[in-house]
Amino acid sequence: MTEREHAAHKVQKLSFSMLDAAMFLNSHPSDSAALNFFRKTRQEYQKAAASYEQHFGPLSLMSAGGSSWDWVCGPWPWEGVK
């Protein structure tokens, strides 16, 4: 697995965990352990996503448009890493 694939996989795992925790919290909003898990996972996701974008380019359109229009370079996020 390349460094890019590893970084993308880490972002995907954290994104899934964060969304799963959010869905659980929708039906269990008072669960403090779940809320703490969500917060910790969100923080890890933000760190992993920032690291990915620093090394490999934007993950979403919201991160595009820096010094150049690099959004179209490399695989699209839904195409997977090649």
Side-chain angles (χ1 to χ4, degrees):
M1 183 180 284
T2 68
E3 184 180 348
R4 183 181 189 146
E5 290 170 333
H6 179 72
H9 187 58
K10 182 176 182 178
V11 169
Q12 290 169 346
K13 286 191 311 187
L14 290 166
S15 176
F16 177 84
S17 294
M18 186 175 57
L19 290 171
D20 193 47
M23 287 190 293
F24 180 82
L25 283 163
N26 285 342
S27 60
H28 301 82
S30 301
D31 190 317
S32 61
L35 183 57
N36 288 337
F37 176 82
F38 174 82
R39 288 176 177 156
K40 180 181 178 223
T41 304
R42 180 182 59 193
Q43 187 176 34
E44 290 176 21
Y45 170 84
Q46 290 169 333
K47 183 178 176 184
S51 176
Y52 181 94
E53 290 180 342
Q54 180 182 7
H55 291 97
F56 306 110
L59 283 167
S60 72
L61 189 55
M62 300 304 287
S63 303
S67 60
S68 66
W69 191 247
D70 52 2
W71 173 246
V72 297
C73 300
W76 296 85
W78 55 85
E79 291 180 320
V81 178
K82 296 178 183 175

